Amino acid sequence: MFLPKKRGTPNPNPVKLSSCDFRDGQQSLFATRMRTEDMVPILRQMDDFGFSCIEMWGGATFDTCIRFLNQDPWDRIRVFKQHVTKTPLRMLLRGQNLLGYTPYPDDVVGRFVAAASRAGIDIFLVFDGLNDIRNCRAAAKAVLAAGKLVEGNIQFTSSPVHTVASFVRTAQEYVDIGATAVHLEDMGGMIDPVTAAKTVEAVKHAVAVPVHYHAHCTGGMTEITYWEVAKAGADVLDVDVSAFAMGTSHPAAESIIAALQNTPRDTGLDYRKLHGINTYLKAMREKYRTSATQMAGVDINVVEHQIPGGMYSNLEAQLKEMGAQDRMEEILKEVICVRKDLGYPPLGTPFSQMCGAQATTNVLLGKRYQVVSKEIKAYVQGRYGKAPGPVSEELKQLILPDGEAPITCRPADLLQPVYTAKQAEIGSIARTEEDVLTYIMFPQAGLEFLKRKYGLA
């Protein structure tokens, strides 16, 4: 247990807090629909508060900007940089997948990272959905070449093939490619406090870099977990201001600050300074209520289905559009089966989307794998990386012809450079390198966006 700290004495080991409000917070609660101009009014207050960083880009933000908001995501970084001058800006980067769902060639990865760095990203939180660090090397190399920070994000999940030892190995592999910190990300809020604390303690012992912890509140255990991982030595916790906290999102900054006061991990922050920010963000929750998740309270079943907060709200929206919102419970049960068949991939991006989409297809068609998505086929072929556990024989027989074996090399080694060819393909519609990269990552949505951007639609 914590021994109380004498009031007024300096704290040599405070827990730091990272803000996820503008990226994962809004992604988890209302499908990333918050517009850039609605973030600006409180940026200077956020900058002054004392967060270790502000995560505001990556994940689904890019796709949502061009597909739904008709806003240039690259401009969002520059707008933030105008108002946030003291606090580092962080983005979530899906390793070789960048901000998409499939691997891109190394030339695209290098150019994308360099462009994001020039725009104003300071910290790149890099991960691979399978914890296959081969898929993070090119991105990490490009980040270091740009003089920015690499932080390695471990997909922290539970399954028969994931253990404390496996997470320690992943942390060590991240440090080997230049990570200056490692994160344990419980994307669904399904890891119990004891397991989380044991894992943090083991990772802290194994690597000589700060250890961050990130979890959603879906399962109802995460505030207890944050207390336990703070005791176990976690250096940084990911939070949201209370208006954007809890539910499928993360713990509230105010609550964590209050809980840790007068302990050896006292943050030294004053939660009262968040009052104005929280009042503003409450109004934003109301403004974007039509996009809000319908999940309320706690879903302890996340321990089994493991669907992360951001994916949960998006799946709800998609089922609503199809008039199938009443099938959610069936689909979540099917997700468990699909994940097992795929060898227990962590359900971060893109595998939460892949498993969710395949489970939805299985349920709505009434037959398992009658139709198999191209993404699932590519996964079984090894084109996303090494599966954590064995893939079901049924799927292999269905997808791999004549007993063909999956590939075992780094998937990007099979990809040829494409930037120059895609630049020629898009032609004068793309007027900057950022435009070309937008088109490469999202060919259809990106092309439509660029035409609107330049009045060509």
Side-chain angles (χ1 to χ4, degrees), residues 381-396:
Q381 292 165 350
R383 298 187 181 278
Y384 286 92
K386 182 175 174 19
V391 176
S392 79
E393 290 301 320
E394 175 191 359
L395 271 180
K396 287 196 290 187

Side-chain angles (χ1 to χ4, degrees), residues 96 98 103-110 138 412 415-419 440:
Q96 203 75 31
L98 297 177
Y104 297 98
D106 289 346
D107 66 324
V108 174
V109 172
L415 304 177
Q416 296 298 313
V418 300
Y419 183 87
I440 290 172

Side-chain angles (χ1 to χ4, degrees), residues 277-409:
I277 298 171
N278 190 53
T279 299
Y280 179 83
L281 291 179
K282 282 182 179 178
M284 291 301 102
R285 283 288 297 272
E286 177 63 20
K287 179 175 181 176
Y288 292 100
R289 67 185 184 280
T290 57
S291 299
T293 176
Q294 297 304 301
M295 189 223 152
V298 168
D299 176 17
I300 195 59
N301 294 317
V302 72
V303 172
E304 296 181 346
H305 67 65
Q306 302 195 12
I307 288 290
M311 174 59 188
Y312 197 103
S313 60
N314 279 302
L315 181 58
E316 280 182 327
Q318 292 161 8
L319 290 176
K320 185 176 181 180
E321 289 178 5
M322 294 187 292
Q325 58 265 43
D326 60 328
R327 310 296 295 275
M328 175 67 96
E329 186 173 348
E330 294 174 75
I331 289 168
L332 293 179
K333 289 180 180 178
E334 181 63 12
V335 165
I336 299 170
C337 299
V338 172
R339 181 177 182 243
K340 179 181 178 182
D341 289 344
L342 293 177
Y344 299 103
L347 291 189
T349 300
F351 304 112
S352 59
Q353 290 84 354
M354 287 166 52
C355 288
Q358 187 62 57
T360 301
T361 300
N362 290 354
V363 168
L364 295 185
L365 292 182
K367 184 177 181 181
R368 305 189 75 226
Y369 305 120
Q370 180 177 342
V371 174
V372 179
S373 72
K374 64 180 181 180
E375 291 81 10
I376 295 290
K377 291 177 181 177
Y379 176 96
V380 174
Q381 292 165 350
R383 298 187 181 278
Y384 286 92
K386 182 175 174 19
V391 176
S392 79
E393 290 301 320
E394 175 191 359
L395 271 180
K396 287 196 290 187
Q397 291 174 13
L398 187 63
I399 293 167
L400 298 174
D402 302 321
E404 175 186 309
I407 66 170
T408 57
C409 65

Side-chain angles (χ1 to χ4, degrees), residues 27-46:
Q27 181 173 319
S28 299
L29 294 177
F30 44 89
T32 332
R33 294 302 196 270
M34 193 174 188
R35 298 178 64 82
T36 303
E37 62 267 25
D38 285 333
M39 303 175 188
V40 170
I42 55 167
L43 290 185
R44 294 199 187 276
Q45 294 178 68
M46 294 285 284

Side-chain angles (χ1 to χ4, degrees), residues 5-13:
K5 179 177 74 72
K6 183 181 291 187
R7 289 180 181 271
T9 59
N11 185 4
N13 189 26

